[in-house]
Amino acid sequence: MNTIIDALKAHAHNKPEQFAFVGENAQGETVQLTYQQLAAEVFAVAAYLTSLNAKVVALRAENSISWILIDLAAMVANLVIVPIPTFFSYTQVQHSLAESGADLLIGDWSEQASVECLGHLAGLRVYRSVGVMPASVLADTCKITFTSGSTGHPKGVCLSQQHLSNVAQSLAEAVMGLAEKHLVLLPLSTLLENITGVYVPILLGASVHVYPGRKLGLLGSSQFNAAAFAQQLADIQPQSLVLTPALLLALIKLVQGNSQLAQSLKFVAVGGARVSAQLISAAHDLGIPAYEGYGLSECGSVVCLNTPKAFKAGSCGKALSHSQLRIAEDGELLVKGNSALGYLNAPFIEEWLATGDLAAIDEQGFVHLLGRKKNLLVTAFGRNISPEWIESEAQALLPGVPLFITGDGQEQLCAVSQHISNIDAKLSELNSKLPDYARISQVLQLETLHAIPNWFTANGKIRRDQLEQSVSELLSQNLSNVSFHRQMVTRIDLPKS
């Protein structure tokens, strides 16, 4: 049973005139679909997809109502769909196609050579992939979501319709009654927004506004136009959003300049990385109802979430009804209840899924993230420190400033940061709030961190082993200013507190 499609059909019958999705289609035209119209279009697209005799559909396009129609239609047609992020590199796209064995490509595939154009569907181009090798997709898979991961080769996570329905239903129960108008901000190709911006609203019978990222001020995976974002917030007046910590920081800055932008908001979920308690408190002080959550693709996205009924700043909330959590002896968070089928060609066989995240669960059941297990620093004094913990605390004092913590095997911790003035004062303030073993002793400042070769993956994630090696070499020179890959690195020693 697919509760998402069942809900769509029920709303089409019970409240046919209510708007389901409002926004733009793939051709930039303004579209308003009622639930009755949405259901009719979804089933029509599903019938056409079925007639093409495809097995695996790869969808690569900007956010639009067209994207949503293809996604829901593939579910109705019982086809495997593979959403491909538009910010994936050419190499990542080719890897995803080869791994999934996609034989039908929909959307922007202008770079593909071996394809046959079949026309258009829901305003998006449709191509038959020529000479594709079939992949060993796990049984019952309906969606393959490729995680960007920490390397250049994303992993394909296989999810069933039951997995997606379980997560969406659990989320719908948690946020029921909080909001009736959602604005999609994150790419729909990311599983989080796919579920929260499409499936959960359908279950709740809510309305969703969908526009391409450029109209909302979002370009690629990391560029942002604050003025465009503010204009859309003012025009649409959404009641709910899903944000990354970086977007929450941007929203805080906007609301500081114009408090009206927060007035319509009823629920703002924040995920994708650890969020400091100070940042959540700063949002609440401005009237932004921000609530941190946590999830991973291997569990079908969201696992736990703060809500107005159960909230603790500094935590990522309590487990949703579909999941069970426990902490392993080494501090790793384990999840049971809605694990994915597995990776492509590698089914999950363990009852409890190891998340790779260090965490603690308090007496009230709130989950507190402590960082990635593989990133744990062990100082020369034997203290275990999660760099993400310190980095997230620095967000509140240095919003939007790239900063990374190093010190594995060292007596002191060092911060590597983009160059800004008065960073010594800001980090000294941060140190005053940290235990002595987690305080930063030195800072290395560069003009452009992302220009350093080998420090970042193709997805923009930090390579901590490379960073540690470089920092160790720079500190060994014991100079205040060092030339490093054509950049000047300024070293600052912080006062001991």
Side-chain angles (χ1 to χ4, degrees):
M1 181 179 70
N2 187 318
T3 56
I4 299 163
I5 301 303
D6 287 346
L8 172 58
K9 291 189 288 187
H11 296 321
H13 181 267
N14 297 327
K15 45 183 178 181
E17 300 305 314
Q18 177 168 322
F19 286 121
F21 292 97
V22 177
E24 293 184 2
N25 62 17
Q27 297 162 317
E29 300 168 335
T30 300
V31 176
Q32 295 181 321
L33 289 182
T34 65
Y35 270 99
Q36 185 178 60
Q37 292 168 331
L38 175 64
E41 292 211 25
V42 165
F43 279 88
V45 173
Y48 182 76
L49 286 176
T50 300
S51 72
L52 295 176
N53 295 316
K55 294 182 179 179
V56 179
V57 178
L59 173 60
R60 183 172 186 258
E62 291 286 347
N63 285 2
S64 69
I65 290 178
S66 302
W67 195 104
I68 292 169
L69 289 174
I70 299 295
D71 181 65
L72 292 171
M75 187 176 280
V76 170
N78 286 312
L79 293 174
V80 178
I81 190 165
V82 187
I84 305 290
T86 56
F87 55 81
F88 265 18
S89 68
Y90 177 79
T91 300
Q92 290 175 318
V93 170
Q94 298 309 305
H95 170 80
S96 302
L97 292 179
E99 287 287 298
S100 63
D103 54 351
L104 194 70
L105 312 182
I106 300 179
D108 181 11
W109 297 99
S110 56
E111 296 176 334
Q112 292 302 120
S114 301
V115 293
E116 173 193 356
C117 186
L118 302 179
H120 289 78
L121 182 60
L124 292 166
R125 286 187 179 274
V126 181
Y127 301 89
R128 178 86 65 188
S129 187
V130 179
V132 65
M133 297 295 292
S136 299
V137 176
L138 300 178
D140 296 326
T141 298
C142 85
K143 187 182 294 281
I144 302 173
T145 182
F146 277 89
T147 63
S148 58
S150 58
T151 68
H153 297 295
K155 285 185 175 181
V157 179
C158 298
L159 296 159
S160 70
Q161 291 197 17
Q162 188 63 55
H163 291 145
L164 297 174
S165 294
N166 287 346
V167 177
Q169 187 65 48
S170 185
L171 275 169
E173 293 168 359
V175 302
M176 188 177 295
L178 293 179
E180 296 179 353
K181 186 198 292 187
H182 180 76
L183 173 61
V184 169
L185 280 176
L186 304 182
L188 286 166
S189 54
T190 58
L191 187 60
L192 176 60
E193 190 71 88
N194 191 181
I195 289 176
T196 58
V198 181
Y199 303 154
V200 172
I202 287 176
L203 289 175
L204 295 174
S207 298
V208 179
H209 286 249
V210 187
Y211 299 92
R214 62 183 179 277
K215 186 165 185 176
L216 300 170
L218 301 169
L219 303 173
S221 61
S222 57
Q223 299 179 53
F224 180 68
N225 183 323
F229 184 34
Q231 185 62 55
Q232 293 304 315
L233 287 177
D235 291 347
I236 297 170
Q237 297 187 25
Q239 295 179 337
S240 63
L241 303 168
V242 176
L243 305 177
T244 62
L247 285 175
L248 177 60
L249 276 169
L251 180 59
I252 286 173
K253 289 182 180 179
L254 289 174
V255 174
Q256 286 173 335
N258 181 2
S259 61
Q260 299 291 320
L261 295 176
Q263 286 196 346
S264 66
L265 296 173
K266 306 294 185 184
F267 186 79
V268 177
V270 187
R274 189 176 184 273
V275 187
S276 73
Q278 287 179 291
L279 193 62
I280 294 293
S281 296
H284 285 203
D285 289 343
L286 291 168
I288 302 171
Y291 296 91
E292 184 180 359
Y294 165 79
L296 60 167
S297 299
E298 289 82 353
C299 291
S301 192
V302 187
V303 169
C304 50
L305 180 68
N306 278 292
T307 67
K309 295 180 180 179
F311 166 68
K312 181 177 287 188
S315 81
C316 54
K318 294 184 177 183
L320 293 174
S321 59
H322 68 279
S323 293
Q324 300 175 49
L325 309 179
R326 68 179 177 89
I327 305 297
E329 291 184 4
D330 62 357
E332 184 175 7
L333 180 65
L334 306 179
V335 182
K336 174 184 174 183
N338 201 53
S339 295
L341 298 168
Y343 299 117
L344 281 165
N345 304 314
F348 292 161
I349 56 175
E350 299 294 335
E351 183 181 18
W352 289 86
L353 179 75
T355 64
D357 290 302
L358 299 170
I361 302 175
D362 64 25
E363 294 180 354
Q364 289 77 41
F366 288 94
V367 180
H368 300 259
L369 292 180
L370 305 175
R372 292 291 291 169
K373 181 179 177 181
K374 67 179 181 181
N375 293 336
L376 197 66
L377 302 178
V378 183
T379 69
F381 296 104
R383 298 307 300 262
N384 295 339
I385 300 171
S386 166
E388 293 102 331
W389 161 46
I390 303 173
E391 291 160 3
S392 68
E393 293 299 322
Q395 288 179 359
L397 298 174
L398 297 165
V401 177
L403 181 144
F404 300 99
I405 300 298
T406 68
D408 190 44
Q410 305 298 316
E411 293 185 5
Q412 300 174 323
L413 297 184
C414 178
V416 182
S417 169
Q418 200 89 353
H419 180 79
I420 64 165
S421 59
N422 299 322
I423 193 170
D424 51 343
K426 293 289 187 181
L427 292 184
S428 293
E429 183 181 349
L430 174 63
N431 277 343
S432 69
K433 302 173 183 178
L434 296 171
D436 58 359
Y437 65 86
R439 291 172 184 162
I440 301 165
S441 297
Q442 298 163 322
V443 187
L444 297 181
Q445 285 196 293
L446 293 84
E447 289 297 330
T448 310
L449 264 65
H450 282 77
I452 304 299
N454 301 323
W455 276 16
F456 296 90
T457 69
N459 309 315
K461 293 192 175 184
I462 189 70
R463 294 185 186 274
R464 293 190 182 269
D465 55 344
Q466 296 289 340
L467 180 66
E468 284 279 357
Q469 181 179 340
S470 297
V471 169
S472 179
E473 293 172 358
L474 288 168
L475 293 178
S476 68
Q477 299 181 45
N478 199 30
L479 297 172
S480 297
N481 290 279
V482 182
S483 178
F484 182 69
H485 289 283
R486 299 182 181 179
Q487 292 194 52
M488 288 305 298
V489 183
T490 303
R491 172 177 169 173
I492 303 172
D493 292 319
L494 297 179
K496 295 181 178 180
S497 52

